[in-house]
């Protein structure tokens, strides 16, 4: 292709683009109402829900345990919580103390959208920030602590 042929081809492309802009694009009108209607009908695609990166520590309690045994396990959990508040790594504490299958991963449970978390835990986590730890929770699995490692959108 010669330079004059190239110039002619580019000129035709520019004219074609101008024609499309004039004849087609100038006739397309999108109002704010159109945008709002589209957004409302496709809201799920644009919802940015918080995601919680959670770790936990579980100390199990036998269903046959008496009050003294339960109190001893709760006291151990309180001691673990105090170690964390004193600056120890939650992942290290989970690895050393947790009886959860996730203990070897530092108690890392994964990333969860808020709506995926059970309602009881939702109410506990709702006012917490990244880096916070829950109070000791008595659950069917035993006593638990949850650590919010990170919150992302």
């Amino acid at each position: 292709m010669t330079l004059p042929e190239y110039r002619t081809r580019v000129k035709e492309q520019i004219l074609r683009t101008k024609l499309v802009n004039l004849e087609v694009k100038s006739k397309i009108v999108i109002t704010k109402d159109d945008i709002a209607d589209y957004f409302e009908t496709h809201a799920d695609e644009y919802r940015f829900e918080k995601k919680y990166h959670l770790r936990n520590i579980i100390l199990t309690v036998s269903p046959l345990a008496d009050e003294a045994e339960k109190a001893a396990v709760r006291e151990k959990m309180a001691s673990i919580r105090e170690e964390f508040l004193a600056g120890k790594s939650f992942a290290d504490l989970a690895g050393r103390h947790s009886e959860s299958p996730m203990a070897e991963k530092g108690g890392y449970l994964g990333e969860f959208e808020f709506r995926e978390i059970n309602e009881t835990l939702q109410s506990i986590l709702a006012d917490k920030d990244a880096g916070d730890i829950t109070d000791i929770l008595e659950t069917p699995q035993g006593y638990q602590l949850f650590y919010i490692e990170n919150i992302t959108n």
Side-chain angles (χ1 to χ4, degrees):
M1 176 182 301
T2 65
L3 185 59
E5 290 174 330
Y6 176 74
R7 285 183 178 163
T8 303
R9 186 173 286 175
V10 169
K11 184 178 180 180
E12 288 172 357
Q13 287 175 348
I14 292 171
L15 288 173
R16 202 172 308 121
T17 302
K18 286 183 177 182
L19 179 64
V20 167
N21 285 339
L22 180 67
E23 294 298 320
V24 177
K25 289 183 178 179
S26 66
K27 292 181 172 89
I28 298 173
V29 178
I30 300 173
T31 66
K32 288 184 180 183
D33 290 338
D34 293 335
I35 295 169
D37 290 343
Y38 178 85
F39 182 77
E40 285 177 24
T41 58
H42 297 86
D44 289 344
E45 297 172 33
Y46 297 100
R47 183 178 307 140
F48 298 107
E49 191 167 343
K50 289 182 179 181
K51 293 183 181 179
Y52 289 75
H53 298 258
L54 299 175
R55 292 184 182 272
N56 84 333
I57 295 173
I58 297 176
L59 296 181
T60 58
V61 178
S62 168
L64 305 174
D66 62 19
E67 290 306 313
E69 291 171 312
K70 287 181 181 180
V73 174
R74 186 173 177 81
E75 184 59 36
K76 181 178 178 186
M77 185 64 90
S79 173
I80 294 167
R81 189 174 192 280
E82 289 303 316
E83 284 186 64
F84 171 77
L85 294 173
K88 298 265 175 120
S89 160
F90 192 91
D92 290 343
L93 291 169
R96 283 200 323 258
H97 300 288
S98 184
E99 297 169 3
S100 163
M102 306 309 274
E104 64 187 31
K105 294 181 180 180
Y108 187 69
L109 299 174
E111 176 186 80
F112 302 92
E113 289 184 359
F114 192 73
R115 63 184 161 83
E116 296 175 319
I117 300 169
N118 80 39
E119 289 179 14
T120 303
L121 194 53
Q122 281 181 2
S123 64
I124 294 166
L125 297 178
D127 63 341
K128 302 273 188 222
D129 295 318
D132 286 349
I133 188 173
T134 64
D135 289 330
I136 298 169
L137 306 174
E138 188 172 355
T139 68
Q141 293 84 14
Y143 291 108
Q144 292 193 53
L145 289 174
F146 286 89
Y147 172 64
I148 304 168
E149 186 167 76
N150 195 12
I151 301 174
T152 58
N153 285 333

